[in-house]
Amino acid sequence: MKSHTKVCVIGGGVVGCSVLYHLTKLGWSDVMLIERSELTSGSTWHAAGGFHTLNGDTNMAALQGYTIRLYKELEELTGMSCGLHHVGGVTLADTQERFDMLKAERAKHRYMGLHTEILGPEEIKKVAPITNIDGIIGGLYDPLDGHLDPSGTTHAYAKAARMAGAEIVLHNKVEETNQRPDGSWEIVTEKGMVIAEHLVNAGGLWAREVGAMAGVYLPLHPMEHQYIVTDDIPEIYERGNEHPHVMDPGGESYLRQEGRGLCIGFYEKSCEPWAVDGTPWGFGHELLPDNLDKITESVEFAYQRFPVLATAGVKSVIHGPFTFAPDGNPLVGPVPGLRNYWSACGVMAGFSQGGGVGLTLAQWMIEGEPERDVFAMDVSRFGKWITPGYTLPKVVENYQNRFSVSYPNEELPAARPCQTTPMYDIWDSMGAVFGQQFGLEVPNYFADDGEERYETPSFRRSNAFDATAREVKAVREAVGINEVQNFGKFMVTGADARDWLDRIMAGRIPKPGRLSLTPMLSPKGRLIGDFTISCLSDTEFQLTASYGSQAYHERWFRKHLDGEVSLANISDRRTGFQIAGPNAQAVLASVTRSDVSADTFKFLDVKRMVVGMADCIVQRVSYTGDLGYEIYTDAMSQRHLWHVLWDAGQKHGMRPFGMRAMMSLRLDKFFGSWLSEFSPDYTAAETGMERFISFKKNTDFIGRAAAEAEKAQGAARTLVAFEVDALDADVVAYEPIWINGSVEGFCTSGGYSHFAHKSIALGLIPTEMAKEGLEVEIEILGEMRPARLITTALFDADGARMRG
Ligand SMILES: Cc1cc2nc3c(=O)[nH]c(=O)nc-3n(C[C@H](O)[C@H](O)[C@H](O)COP(=O)(O)OP(=O)(O)OC[C@H]3O[C@@H](n4cnc5c(N)ncnc54)[C@H](O)[C@@H]3O)c2cc1C
């Protein structure tokens, strides 16, 4: 075993071996993997080996597509068989909602190059003849679905890595990991010590224990999972070709051919977490005792859906554990707070996702950033607030919902409320219907007396529609108030603070008393932040951006911190309110002795002022696109500030408004939002953020060269707005945009403008087509809806109200 290496991967399951292979594929050969037993000794050996592309997150679906296409390449490279069965698969829909979901997925696949098809019941019967189609409305057929040999595939990854110079050490448990002062890692194993520049935790079932060796909590939990292999079934082995996979979400089952019989697995509601207090080190190549009781109902349902099962004998039952993160997506990337420590765990579908995880991590380590937005699986999407007490109920919920329809407006109930602000009870008493962001309870809207305090999950307009309309009206005609807790907030202070910000941010850094909006770019020119920077003094700046991405942003800031600069994440310490609407100025003027008249307190000004008794930072800006103020104060003063503003607001028609209204209001001005329009998938030039880049400033800010190159060349695609002739469903995201009969672009977000009474979509299309009045069609839930490109904002187009 070598004593020094560039990268040490801990864990030889399918994920660790894929990471090792991809590191070599992208050019690092001084890499090694340490496995405590044989390869595949965790979840990997007993997996059913199924793979598919379907995933609610578009980038995850793309990475699953990459994984599946990789297997052929791996076989050719190594001469080893992955035992591939590309038999295709159909996902059934037995409710309209499920069918809507499949049609929405099909629509997204159009521009992703995935050739899925919507089938009717009779077509399903032809493709998958053992299916009883009673009650089936339709299904989604994916020719890429299939299965493989889990062990063969893992060994193929390992062989390919070895061929490119990687070392694999078996039967060697890692017992300690200690960070050295230079940022490298001392890895203490049964066979001696290795010094590694980078450490990758691919410990699978033991990833929690491996993380704890470095003092880090990785939020994942193992669940028990069971599948049954049947004896031979004539209806199967007498067929000329292999039966395709059938996913029956209504019955919580997945089914495929195994030899001359079938194999069927279940995601049962009565599921069981495994090894709650830690995975035993002695666990390995054994299975859990059969537990058919917990799947009785699912099995009975399956007998009706696939009648051939009812008479088939059971050959074997495979019952084993595998891990999930709270939202079911992997935990990948640099672990916040540690140097050179990388996570590649929580992968619940190693054979659909393992290749994509390996590629992403290798790109991140070697090239500094992944090629696409991978926030859905970024380990930084969970903050310091996360504990095993949160993870466990969320993982159980995720397992139970594995096959449930997931709706764009859905708020899942487990582990809530977790994080709350001092306003929680007040909002609650006012009828708030809460959503959750990064663990925090945030009002989505306020129900009136007699209205249900629950938003019905739907792909179409929900029962929140009327309440949202009321709140929008209050903002546009009087004044609305909401909390600014759900912004990520940082203080940057010190003699070098301005210079540092100038380098980190692409935009202009404002003078004292002013604020600016600026994109933050990656070295490749991708959008990794859209910040508001408020200059409180030459050495003191407040930064605000997405609350949910605060750990992602903090990780980036700390990586680049230098000089006399100190950074504090004050997201939960500094809170407050936003007031917006034509009466906002009158409300503010009545509660402070500071002069807030339009001449002295202008648009994009920032000022310290006392509001009531509270010491506040007030800035004149509002994401509603209206005349508005963000009023920040210490969390201890928040309730006082609330009473002051609310009491003063009464005679001005003040109403609270939630996130649903906020997202409708921003559409009136075509404002983009973080992770929809602004994300690492896009550049500043594509999304209109280029106008906030300061090419004049004399600083080599991160991403400058890439942004300049794009400016010179011009962006190939452009973000535009459409007015959509929608029925009862608006654009959510990723719906294809058809122009003259072909898919030329896709939507990034959309919704209903309650102010203009119009359905609006934002989306990217080829720049040369982006002309006022362009007629397009947008495919919403499988229906083509006419839409027209518009360029004039629906509200306050000249900015007179916002700036006045
Ligand atoms: C019954 C069942 C059916 C499944 N079916 C499918 C399916 O059809 N399709 C699909 O995609 N997925 C399926 N899965 C899930 C799949 O098995 C996992 O996604 C995958 O195996 C995860 O791989 P991994 O490499 O992350 O973890 P693991 O396979 O758990 O590998 C982790 C490795 O790390 C090693 N290790 C841990 N700690 C140390 C240490 N301290 N020192 C050295 N080595 C260490 C372990 O020995 C182990 O080999 C199934 C799972 C189960 C239980």
Side-chain angles (χ1 to χ4, degrees):
M1 182 174 80
K2 57 183 169 182
S3 60
H4 287 74
T5 184
K6 193 159 184 75
V7 184
C8 177
V9 179
I10 301 175
V14 64
V15 175
C17 291
S18 166
V19 170
L20 193 73
Y21 164 64
H22 281 92
L23 287 168
T24 61
K25 185 177 178 184
L26 267 60
W28 282 5
S29 55
D30 177 16
V31 293
M32 73 190 297
L33 181 149
I34 301 182
E35 163 56 46
R36 82 193 162 104
S37 176
E38 296 289 336
L39 295 180
T40 77
S41 293
S43 304
T44 298
W45 75 271
H46 51 55
F51 52 75
H52 54 92
T53 45
L54 202 61
N55 190 302
D57 182 274
T58 307
N59 279 334
M60 290 296 302
L63 285 171
Q64 293 184 193
Y66 165 80
T67 302
I68 296 168
R69 292 187 181 108
L70 179 70
Y71 294 129
K72 272 254 161 318
E73 176 185 324
L74 213 51
E75 289 192 328
E76 279 162 21
L77 189 67
T78 60
M80 286 177 72
S81 167
C82 295
L84 284 175
H85 296 251
H86 270 299
V87 291
V90 57
T91 302
L92 307 177
D94 56 356
T95 62
Q96 189 56 45
E97 287 79 14
R98 224 184 281 286
F99 198 40
D100 281 351
M101 182 171 102
L102 296 181
K103 285 189 290 184
E105 288 304 313
R106 164 67 191 112
K108 289 182 202 169
H109 293 163
R110 288 190 202 279
Y111 65 84
M112 290 167 64
L114 296 173
H115 303 291
T116 54
E117 262 177 81
I118 292 290
L119 303 183
E122 292 306 325
E123 289 167 300
I124 293 173
K125 190 77 192 167
K126 274 196 209 125
V127 173
I130 61 164
T131 313
N132 170 3
I133 53 169
D134 287 354
I136 296 297
I137 301 174
L140 182 74
Y141 178 75
D142 186 347
L144 275 185
D145 278 9
H147 56 278
L148 46 62
D149 165 19
S151 175
T153 301
T154 308
H155 281 91
Y157 274 127
K159 181 172 178 190
R162 276 201 195 97
M163 284 164 62
E167 180 178 345
I168 295 180
V169 184
L170 301 178
H171 300 286
N172 187 24
K173 182 179 162 227
V174 170
E175 303 199 302
E176 269 180 50
T177 60
N178 306 311
Q179 181 125 58
R180 290 153 49 98
D182 67 354
S184 64
W185 288 89
E186 191 179 87
I187 295 163
V188 182
T189 76
E190 289 171 335
K191 294 185 180 167
M193 184 151 59
V194 179
I195 307 293
E197 225 174 276
H198 298 270
L199 182 165
V200 178
N201 179 351
L205 282 177
W206 296 266
R208 289 176 297 173
E209 286 71 21
V210 173
M213 291 175 191
V216 66
Y217 171 61
L218 291 163
L220 54 89
H221 197 87
M223 294 294 293
E224 296 181 358
H225 183 63
Q226 211 161 202
Y227 65 89
I228 295 170
V229 180
T230 71
D231 286 333
D232 296 357
I233 300 176
E235 288 87 339
I236 293 297
Y237 66 75
E238 283 170 1
R239 278 169 53 85
N241 51 2
E242 204 170 347
H243 197 277
H245 289 212
V246 187
M247 270 63 65
D248 181 20
E252 302 167 343
S253 72
Y254 56 89
L255 167 136
R256 68 168 171 83
Q257 183 167 342
E258 172 68 35
R260 289 159 56 94
L262 289 168
C263 150
I264 181 162
F266 302 96
Y267 282 91
E268 68 284 2
K269 291 275 185 291
S270 50
C271 55
E272 297 278 350
W274 184 72
V276 173
D277 294 314
T279 305
W281 285 111
F283 189 80
H285 272 271
E286 65 258 45
L287 290 170
L288 305 175
D290 301 354
N291 183 350
L292 296 178
D293 284 352
K294 67 176 177 178
I295 54 171
T296 310
E297 272 182 36
S298 310
V299 170
E300 279 167 9
F301 193 94
Y303 285 172
Q304 289 164 32
R305 181 65 69 219
F306 310 106
V308 291
L309 284 175
T311 48
V314 171
K315 187 149 109 196
S316 56
V317 176
I318 309 292
H319 191 201
F322 66 136
T323 62
F324 289 72
D327 57 5
N329 278 339
L331 298 168
V332 180
V335 174
L338 292 178
R339 283 167 72 196
N340 304 329
Y341 191 104
W342 303 81
S343 173
C345 50
V347 184
M348 60 74 51
F351 297 94
S352 296
Q353 301 173 335
V357 166
L359 174 73
T360 299
L361 201 72
Q363 288 174 338
W364 217 328
M365 295 174 78
I366 296 172
E367 298 165 11
E369 58 188 281
E371 74 185 48
R372 66 184 88 224
D373 171 23
V374 290
F375 191 70
M377 64 174 180
D378 189 331
V379 64
S380 76
R381 71 190 183 278
F382 300 106
K384 289 186 186 133
W385 48 272
I386 203 159
T387 63
Y390 175 91
T391 304
L392 180 59
K394 272 296 186 201
V395 164
V396 170
E397 179 184 63
N398 191 274
Y399 186 100
Q400 290 171 331
N401 287 347
R402 177 92 193 114
F403 277 152
S404 300
V405 178
S406 44
Y407 298 92
N409 65 336
E410 190 169 17
E411 298 287 350
L412 297 169
R416 294 179 58 196
C418 175
Q419 304 279 294
T420 57
T421 74
M423 283 300 293
Y424 182 77
D425 294 341
I426 296 178
W427 292 141
D428 193 40
S429 72
M430 298 176 85
V433 178
F434 289 97
Q436 199 209 40
Q437 288 180 13
F438 202 60
L440 178 74
E441 295 296 321
V442 177
N444 276 342
Y445 67 95
F446 293 83
D448 265 358
D449 287 347
E451 285 180 346
E452 203 183 357
R453 295 276 301 268
Y454 172 72
E455 183 177 1
T456 317
S458 177
F459 290 97
R460 298 165 195 275
R461 290 177 195 152
S462 79
N463 59 333
F465 193 79
D466 291 346
T468 308
R470 285 194 300 265
E471 294 167 23
V472 164
K473 187 169 158 59
V475 172
R476 291 284 183 247
E477 294 180 5
V479 56
I481 182 164
N482 80 349
E483 212 174 351
V484 288
Q485 175 65 31
N486 57 332
F487 283 147
K489 306 169 209 90
F490 296 90
M491 277 306 286
V492 177
T493 51
D496 297 332
R498 178 177 290 278
D499 290 350
W500 183 74
L501 284 170
D502 246 332
R503 199 168 63 75
I504 294 291
M505 301 290 173
R508 193 176 44 77
I509 308 304
K511 294 192 176 60
R514 293 286 291 164
L515 53 96
S516 66
L517 309 176
T518 166
M520 182 161 79
L521 304 180
S522 74
K524 292 185 182 167
R526 303 190 161 269
L527 285 169
I528 55 169
D530 64 329
F531 278 84
T532 301
I533 301 190
S534 318
C535 180
L536 304 175
S537 79
D538 257 328
T539 55
E540 214 184 352
F541 297 83
Q542 175 176 285
L543 274 48
T544 45
S546 151
Y547 188 74
S549 295
Q550 61 180 272
Y552 168 87
H553 286 139
E554 186 171 352
R555 181 177 66 194
W556 181 257
F557 291 151
R558 298 221 176 270
K559 181 175 172 197
H560 293 277
L561 215 53
D562 62 8
E564 212 179 297
V565 180
S566 90
L567 175 89
N569 182 343
I570 55 163
S571 303
D572 292 331
R573 269 189 275 149
R574 189 162 292 168
T575 180
F577 301 94
Q578 166 183 206
I579 56 172
N583 300 344
Q585 190 188 344
V587 173
L588 184 61
S590 69
V591 291
T592 181
R593 296 192 64 78
S594 297
D595 183 356
V596 294
S597 61
D599 297 342
T600 27
F601 195 43
K602 300 194 184 69
F603 182 60
L604 301 185
D605 273 357
V606 57
K607 233 185 201 177
R608 284 189 193 277
M609 55 180 91
V610 174
V611 179
M613 295 187 285
D615 199 7
C616 296
I617 294 169
V618 183
Q619 44 196 43
R620 225 195 107 181
V621 68
S622 170
Y623 188 53
T624 61
D626 214 308
L627 166 67
Y629 304 87
E630 290 171 357
I631 309 170
Y632 294 92
T633 193
D634 188 275
M636 301 293 276
S637 304
Q638 193 191 17
R639 283 175 81 109
H640 163 69
L641 182 61
W642 160 256
H643 288 297
V644 168
L645 292 169
W646 184 243
D647 290 350
Q650 291 317 294
K651 68 172 187 224
H652 298 284
M654 183 179 271
R655 254 194 119 107
F657 68 103
M659 287 308 292
R660 298 276 182 263
M662 177 94 116
M663 294 312 270
S664 170
L665 290 158
R666 61 110 196 178
L667 284 177
D668 298 343
K669 288 269 178 99
F670 312 150
F671 289 165
S673 77
W674 177 244
L675 290 185
S676 292
E677 285 69 36
F678 310 136
S679 91
D681 277 340
Y682 312 124
T683 65
E686 289 171 337
T687 51
M689 290 293 271
E690 200 182 55
R691 69 185 189 279
F692 296 115
I693 295 183
S694 173
F695 288 105
K696 277 194 286 186
K697 72 181 183 182
N698 194 16
T699 319
D700 188 20
F701 59 83
I702 297 173
R704 179 167 196 139
E708 274 175 350
E710 195 172 25
K711 187 176 161 62
Q713 208 184 346
R717 54 185 185 176
T718 300
L719 184 69
V720 290
F722 296 96
E723 182 184 331
V724 189
D725 177 11
L727 295 172
D728 59 347
D730 302 301
V731 157
V732 176
Y734 296 112
E735 292 81 355
I737 300 172
W738 294 75
I739 303 174
N740 298 329
S742 65
V743 176
E744 299 287 351
F746 60 93
C747 297
T748 47
S749 74
Y752 189 77
S753 161
H754 288 272
F755 170 74
H757 306 289
K758 287 178 176 167
S759 183
I760 299 298
L762 303 182
L764 287 154
I765 60 167
T767 304
E768 69 277 5
M769 295 182 168
K771 304 262 164 29
E772 168 84 40
L774 174 76
E775 303 281 344
V776 307
E777 284 181 303
I778 299 183
E779 189 175 347
I780 302 177
L781 301 179
E783 275 203 49
M784 296 296 188
R785 301 308 312 162
R788 195 171 55 84
L789 195 154
I790 49 174
T791 53
T792 306
L794 307 174
F795 163 73
D796 192 30
D798 60 359
R801 181 127 120 212
M802 184 172 76
R803 293 164 188 277

